[in-house]
Amino acid sequence: QVQLVESGGGLVQAGGSLRLSCAASRRTFSSNTMGWFRQAPGKEREFVAAINWSGGSTYYADSVKGRFTISRDNAKNTVYLQMNSLKPEDTAVYYCAASSSRTYSSGMRFGSWGQGTQVTVSS
């Protein structure tokens, strides 16, 4: 398993931006599809975005498409989530996750998870 540590969460006003980072411990990070998920209070965890092993393909939930951008730097073993035009409904704990697969498919399993970072968007 790969260890993941998220950072960059915080409190921001609606319309603002945040950039989340997720640092991975394993040197084979570049072989993993990486994803971001979120869980709001009282709700189930939901998919936000994913990126394949090379960074050449990205995938987004409809709710964040056009506002969020996922990217990765394999040399730094880090994946990012740039969040713009934030809305109060984006408030959640955001989790980084790693899959053993190089490519993404809907519903795929992510076997390694970070501890999460809180994002709060005030109206």
Side-chain angles (χ1 to χ4, degrees), residues 76-103:
K76 296 182 178 180
N77 282 8
T78 302
V79 63
Y80 305 96
L81 185 68
Q82 177 67 44
M83 305 185 295
N84 298 329
S85 302
L86 282 161
K87 305 175 180 180
E89 51 263 44
D90 294 319
T91 295
V93 177
Y94 283 71
Y95 297 91
C96 174
S99 169
S100 59
S101 174
R102 292 163 65 96
T103 57

Side-chain angles (χ1 to χ4, degrees), residues 23-56:
S25 64
R26 202 168 72 179
R27 58 185 173 86
T28 56
F29 166 82
S30 61
S31 299
N32 301 106
T33 289
M34 300 297 295
W36 285 97
F37 293 76
R38 67 187 182 186
Q39 187 167 20
K43 296 187 177 181
E44 292 188 353
R45 186 171 60 194
E46 64 176 358
F47 169 79
V48 175
I51 187 167
N52 76 335
W53 68 278
S54 67

Side-chain angles (χ1 to χ4, degrees), residues 10 47 71 112 115 120:
F47 169 79
S71 61
S112 299
Q115 82 289 350
T120 303

